[in-house]
Amino acid sequence: MANKIDDFIAGFRGGTRKNRFKVEGTFPAGSGGDANKLQYHVLSASLPSSTLGIVNFPYRGRLIPYVGDRTYEPWDVLVLDDRGAGLYKAFQAWSEKINNQETNTHAYAANDSWFQGAADAIQNSSWKINQLDLGGTVIKTITLRSCWPGFISPLQFNMADTGFNSFAVRLNYNYISINGVNPV
């Protein structure tokens, strides 16, 4: 193990910064979402965690752990609201395509099954979180497959607050792909 500061600096290579990221995604047709706004209006995001479950099997008085199913935590993003409420409206329209608030139905043909009918709004919607270096070059990309908004927070209004308005979105997804780790 090296004990020189130069060895640490060479091994660390500047590290990564929390504020160097870009979110990319597409909204389903008809939702009115502008994907170009995402890289400027997403104030914060995190790389979602996944957990490999454990299945215990009893064997002669002991529990032997085996790898179980993988589960994913929802992905939360904080979005800056713009004057036209473009992204807020787009997330709401996306949610409405999946389940209409008034009729409690989806916006697809009656003969479509859930997975075929929701293909545009769910199955074909992949979002990416790109981690950037100090020069803006992508160093890591995590792709969330088959995303859909499960929660859209309300817009908060307060006469005493002079800051910009933002809202949170919790996206659910089927699985993730990490560049360099598994096929994208």
Side-chain angles (χ1 to χ4, degrees), residues 77-124:
V77 295
L78 184 64
V79 183
L80 184 64
D81 191 35
D82 65 355
R83 187 172 176 185
L87 291 178
Y88 184 79
K89 288 178 184 176
F91 280 111
Q92 290 290 352
W94 187 3
S95 178
E96 190 77 4
K97 280 180 152 301
I98 296 168
N99 181 266
N100 183 286
Q101 294 184 45
E102 183 179 347
T103 64
N104 195 29
T105 60
H106 61 76
Y108 304 100
N111 61 351
D112 285 344
S113 73
W114 167 248
F115 289 109
Q116 292 170 337
D120 181 45
I122 298 175
Q123 297 301 323
N124 294 332

Side-chain angles (χ1 to χ4, degrees), residues 47-53 70-73 173 176 178:
L47 300 180
S49 63
S50 69
T51 303
L52 280 174
R70 182 181 298 272
T71 58
Y72 296 99
E73 293 296 319
Y173 53 96
I176 63 174
I178 304 170

Side-chain angles (χ1 to χ4, degrees), residues 55-65:
V55 178
N56 289 309
F57 290 97
Y59 177 74
R60 296 185 180 177
R62 295 189 179 185
L63 294 177
I64 308 299

Side-chain angles (χ1 to χ4, degrees), residues 23-65:
V23 172
E24 297 176 26
T26 55
F27 292 91
S31 65
D34 184 355
N36 294 323
K37 287 185 176 182
L38 291 172
Q39 63 181 314
Y40 304 109
H41 290 231
V42 175
L43 297 176
S44 67
S46 60
L47 300 180
S49 63
S50 69
T51 303
L52 280 174
I54 298 173
V55 178
N56 289 309
F57 290 97
Y59 177 74
R60 296 185 180 177
R62 295 189 179 185
L63 294 177
I64 308 299

Side-chain angles (χ1 to χ4, degrees), residues 92-166:
Q92 290 290 352
W94 187 3
S95 178
E96 190 77 4
K97 280 180 152 301
I98 296 168
N99 181 266
N100 183 286
Q101 294 184 45
E102 183 179 347
T103 64
N104 195 29
T105 60
H106 61 76
Y108 304 100
N111 61 351
D112 285 344
S113 73
W114 167 248
F115 289 109
Q116 292 170 337
D120 181 45
I122 298 175
Q123 297 301 323
N124 294 332
S125 180
S126 294
W127 285 52
K128 293 181 181 180
I129 311 153
N130 296 299
Q131 188 177 14
L132 309 173
D133 66 10
L134 293 176
T137 303
V138 175
I139 56 176
K140 185 184 299 157
T141 299
I142 287 78
T143 305
L144 291 86
R145 304 291 182 171
S146 303
C147 292
W148 53 276
F151 170 79
I152 304 165
S153 75
L155 290 171
Q156 299 291 331
F157 302 108
N158 183 341
M159 293 292 256
D161 192 351
T162 59
F164 291 108
N165 212 348
S166 61

